[in-house]
């Protein structure tokens, strides 16, 4: 689940924090980097568990309504959503159960929020259409939860506030982790039952090592990288750079020089996108040009053996 996009975000955040911290210790900072990444995986599991928690609250509501119907001699409520096939499969998922137990994750203390979410879902057209449909299939059950997550959970301000209370690490993780949750929902197959695989914390050891090497190269070679910036920026107004811009370019240079298999264009595009998120409104265009000049400087002076190609940044505006 922790991919290179998320790793780059965390390295930017932790490198900036490293320079803001008067007591600089690279080993301590590296531990903080990996702790921060692990908290993103906690969030992934916490959001999957939210689907289970909402389902259990819906089941509780159905049980109460069923008892009332029996007393009054009226029709019992539908159990369709309370026993949604996808949600039940997720509830029984062994990977989620093991992680929740190990990390002591729970929504038990947030009953008012869960009730509010149930009310929101029940008042939505997604829920109404699902409950009125005669289709009874696993695919329909999975799809309704994909829609609920995307439309009612993904950009929910109440959930944002609650998650911020639970962990300050989750503020910047939510957007990218939401995409992983939606990907997980789409990947579920009924035939896999409780053995359905969730996304692992790291795809492989290579991604974990990418985080370590990128962060350490950025810090250890800081003076050299800033020298490259100065040398390559003679036709640029280096004084226009915000401090975050310098940090972002320093990490980009570390990636260019440390990872020979990553194309220069990919590196530049990734860090221009990060500039749009973390620096000034004018930083992205400036960093785009600067990194292009730096890359050419490194190639021309034999410090980087990569082929330069024209690149077009495709990041969010």
């Amino acid at each position: 689940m922790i991919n290179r996009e998320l790793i780059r975000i965390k390295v930017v955040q932790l490198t900036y924090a490293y320079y803001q911290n008067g007591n600089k210790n690279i080993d301590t900072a590296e531990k903080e980097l990996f702790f921060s990444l692990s908290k993103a995986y906690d969030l992934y599991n916490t959001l999957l568990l939210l689907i289970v928690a909402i389902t259990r609250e819906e089941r509780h509501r159905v049980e109460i309504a069923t008892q009332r119907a029996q007393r009054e001699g009226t029709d019992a409520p539908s159990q369709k959503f309370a026993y949604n096939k996808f949600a039940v499969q997720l509830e029984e998922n062994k990977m989620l159960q093991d992680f929740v137990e190990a990390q002591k994750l729970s929504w038990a203390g947030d009953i008012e929020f869960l009730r509010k979410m149930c009310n929101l879902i029940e008042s939505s057209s997604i829920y109404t259409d699902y409950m009125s449909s005669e289709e009874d299939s696993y695919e329909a059950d999975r799809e309704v939860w994909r829609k609920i997550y995307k439309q009612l959970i993904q950009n929910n301000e109440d959930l944002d506030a609650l998650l911020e209370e639970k962990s300050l690490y989750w503020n910047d993780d939510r957007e990218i982790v939401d995409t992983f949750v939606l990907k997980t929902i789409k990947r579920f197959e009924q035939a896999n039952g409780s053995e359905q695989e969730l996304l692992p914390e790291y795809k492989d050891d290579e991604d974990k090592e990418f985080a370590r090497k990128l962060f350490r190269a950025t810090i250890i070679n800081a003076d050299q990288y800033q020298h490259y910036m100065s040398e390559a920026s003679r036709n640029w107004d280096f004084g226009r750079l915000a401090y975050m811009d310098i940090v972002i370019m320093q990490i980009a240079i570390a990636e260019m020089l440390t990872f020979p298999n990553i194309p220069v264009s990919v590196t530049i595009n990734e860090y221009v996108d990060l500039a749009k998120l973390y620096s000034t409104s004018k930083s992205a265009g400036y960093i785009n040009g600067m990194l292009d000049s730096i890359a050419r400087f490194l190639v021309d002076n034999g410090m980087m053996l990569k082929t330069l190609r024209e690149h077009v940044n495709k990041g969010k505006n």
Side-chain angles (χ1 to χ4, degrees):
M1 187 219 79
I2 297 174
N3 64 3
R4 295 196 175 185
E5 179 183 356
L6 183 57
I7 289 171
R8 289 183 179 101
I9 289 171
K10 293 297 185 181
V11 170
V12 167
Q13 293 171 351
L14 268 296
T15 301
Y16 185 82
Y18 175 86
Y19 287 119
Q20 296 300 304
N21 186 350
N23 182 23
K24 297 175 183 176
N25 184 301
I26 192 169
D27 293 328
T28 301
E30 184 182 280
K31 289 178 182 177
E32 179 67 13
L33 169 64
F34 284 108
F35 180 75
S36 180
L37 286 166
S38 73
K39 294 301 290 184
Y41 196 59
D42 286 356
L43 176 59
Y44 167 72
N45 284 274
T46 297
L47 291 172
L48 288 173
L49 186 62
L50 176 60
I51 296 174
V52 174
I54 291 171
T55 297
R56 288 173 176 168
E57 174 59 23
E58 287 286 345
R59 205 172 292 158
H60 178 65
R61 291 184 176 199
V62 167
E63 289 171 358
I64 292 174
T66 298
Q67 292 171 2
R68 185 185 305 116
Q70 290 173 345
R71 290 195 305 270
E72 298 174 355
T74 57
D75 292 338
S78 170
Q79 297 186 346
K80 185 176 183 179
F81 188 67
Y83 289 90
N84 174 284
K85 297 177 185 66
F86 161 77
V88 170
Q89 184 185 10
L90 181 62
E91 182 179 20
E92 296 172 349
N93 184 270
K94 290 183 179 179
M95 280 186 68
L96 182 60
Q97 288 180 352
D98 290 345
F99 191 88
V100 165
E101 183 177 350
Q103 300 299 321
K104 309 300 180 187
L105 303 180
S106 175
W107 287 94
D110 304 295
I111 187 63
E112 290 305 318
F113 171 74
L114 294 175
R115 289 170 179 166
K116 191 172 183 179
M117 282 302 307
C118 288
N119 292 339
L120 179 64
I121 290 168
E122 291 174 13
S123 64
S124 70
S125 60
I126 301 170
Y127 178 87
T128 302
D129 292 345
Y130 170 75
M131 295 298 285
S132 62
S133 173
E134 294 184 0
E135 183 177 0
D136 181 20
S137 69
Y138 177 84
E139 289 71 25
D141 283 11
R142 182 182 57 201
E143 177 62 13
V144 75
W145 265 110
R146 188 193 68 81
K147 289 180 178 177
I148 287 170
Y149 195 93
K150 191 171 182 63
Q151 297 182 36
L152 304 179
I153 296 177
Q154 190 166 5
N155 295 305
N156 187 298
E157 292 183 358
D158 290 334
L159 178 56
D160 287 341
L162 185 57
L163 291 174
E164 186 174 351
E165 290 178 10
K166 290 178 178 292
S167 175
L168 292 175
Y169 287 91
W170 290 347
N171 290 352
D172 296 313
D173 297 344
R174 177 78 195 283
E175 184 176 349
I176 191 167
V177 173
D178 277 334
T179 67
F180 294 135
V181 174
L182 287 167
K183 181 179 180 180
T184 298
I185 293 172
K186 291 177 68 175
R187 283 168 49 127
F188 259 60
E189 296 290 343
Q190 187 174 21
N192 294 332
S194 63
E195 301 293 338
Q196 171 73 48
E197 289 190 0
L198 304 181
L199 297 178
E201 184 170 10
Y202 290 93
K203 182 180 68 175
D204 50 41
D205 290 339
E206 187 177 330
D207 278 349
K208 192 169 185 178
E209 190 61 20
F210 173 79
R212 188 188 317 279
K213 288 173 70 175
L214 180 61
F215 182 68
R216 282 195 167 266
T218 298
I219 302 300
I220 292 171
N221 302 310
D223 291 343
Q224 189 65 53
Y225 295 162
Q226 290 187 22
H227 170 71
Y228 295 156
M229 290 182 214
S230 298
E231 288 295 310
S233 65
R234 290 177 178 176
N235 295 325
W236 295 81
D237 183 2
F238 199 60
R240 288 169 53 192
L241 288 174
Y243 186 66
M244 178 59 86
D245 295 348
I246 296 173
V247 168
I248 289 172
M249 288 200 297
Q250 190 173 312
I251 300 168
I253 295 169
E255 183 171 312
M256 288 180 192
L257 294 176
T258 308
F259 302 96
N261 293 329
I262 300 177
V264 171
S265 59
V266 170
T267 297
I268 293 178
N269 285 337
E270 290 290 343
Y271 290 97
V272 168
D273 286 345
L274 287 173
K276 293 174 184 177
L277 287 174
Y278 291 105
S279 199
T280 69
S281 58
K282 296 180 180 179
S283 291
Y286 191 76
I287 286 177
N288 188 42
M290 278 285 294
L291 287 178
D292 188 72
S293 295
I294 291 167
R296 295 183 188 283
F297 169 81
L298 293 173
V299 170
D300 291 344
N301 287 274
M303 289 174 281
M304 181 170 69
L305 301 177
K306 288 186 178 182
T307 302
L308 296 182
R309 297 176 182 174
E310 294 298 323
H311 71 276
V312 178
N313 182 264
K314 298 180 181 179
K316 304 178 186 72
N317 292 322

